[in-house]
Amino acid sequence: MKKLFFISCLMLLIAAVACNNNNEDPHAAHNAETTKEMYTCPMPEDSVFSDKPGKCPKCGMELVKMEQDKHETDKAEYTCPMHPEIIRDKPGTCPICGMDLVKKETGSKQVVDVELESLLKPTNEFVISSIPVTTVEKRGEQIEIEALGNIAYDTRQVGSISARVSGRIEKLYVRYRYQKINKGQKILDIYSPELLTAQQNLLFLLKNDAENKTFIQAAKEKLLLLGMSNEQLQQVIQSGTPSLTIAVYSNYSGHIHEAANGGTMNTSAGIMKDISLITEELSLKEGMYIQKGQSVFTVFNPDRAWAILNIYGDNQSLVKIGNTVRVVPETAPGKDFRASIDFIEPFYRNESKTLTARVYFNNSSLKIPIGSQVKATIFGNTKDAYWLPKEAVLSLGMDKVVFGKTDGGFKAVKIYTGIIHEKHIQILSGLTVTDSVAANAQYLMDSESFIKIKN
């Protein structure tokens, strides 16, 4: 009986040993599975994991390889100091910046310590992520500045038609506002008692004292000074009869404006006068009296014009006299022309926050309507500065920040910026060429988050 009991115990012991050996195989298989490569989304809040590369189903970013613990693998890895997303299994150079790859520290204890320390930091001061980074680049940029403006008369070509004597308008030959006139064209006939008396004095001298050349010459010069032309003077002398009226001629070619109503369009704002003032009849009528020295009409030459361009504050320091400008009229985009900035007004116009630059040009062939809008591209000087992609800079109202790369994540850094040119922004201070920042700052914040920075 004892012998049978001993044999039974021995068989149970053998079965237990065999069962223990069989139980070790699942553990080995489990360890083999845990050494398999895993991938995750760079945005930790997405909590996406996969056993193969691909894109995150939530945000669409490329999945990155997860780091393994020390007991999982002892294989050395190499990465770029400026681009940590570059990971290689042997030394070499970074395919992005060309720097030598450095050996990446591994170990489960170190990873756990960094992650724990980072997670304990305030969320508005520190962001954990592994998105691509970029650096400040120093280079010269050929600045092109876009500006809007309008076409205005060149006031250097303005002429004034004034009355040299007092008298009454007998005949008016100008019938409507902005009428086109030519040099030498008759504008009006005026009756002047003063002019009539001067003619009678000349005729009296010629008839009664023809030898008095001095007085006769003085009488002729007086009539010429009063506005009588040489032709009119010779006609009076030959006929021996004074002319009751004298014709007033224009010494300029262009569009005629009434001097009594301001005589000009509102070129400062690039807007024409009220339409009712443009289309109403002339205020100057036949039979009205005018005074000596009174400006009757003002003549503007449409063949000489200005392009008045508005320069905003950020670009004012880049615009200089002599810069080449390409002007595109809105009324005729195919008639774009090149010119240069001739004058920069040293003041701000009323109710305007922009600086005004003038571009003089010949409008005789272009025929661009005065008052029309234009677009202009100003080719400024080359700007040698530090540049950063616009996507890397985040605006907080008055402040501008970037997310600087630190151990384990990104930290908000306040910077000072200058001009914006195409897809880059000028960095004045706050960063150096060795600092790495997030290539897209928008990825590190959402609409409900806020950022705390130190001044």
Side-chain angles (χ1 to χ4, degrees), residues 343-349 355-358:
F343 184 75
I344 298 177
E345 296 182 357
F347 60 91
Y348 287 95
R349 298 197 178 199
L355 195 65
T356 302
R358 300 178 188 172

Side-chain angles (χ1 to χ4, degrees), residues 92-110:
T93 58
C94 175
I96 299 178
C97 64
M99 294 183 63
D100 292 332
L101 301 181
V102 297
K103 188 174 181 181
K104 187 176 181 181
E105 298 293 337
T106 58
S108 58
K109 182 177 182 302
Q110 179 183 4

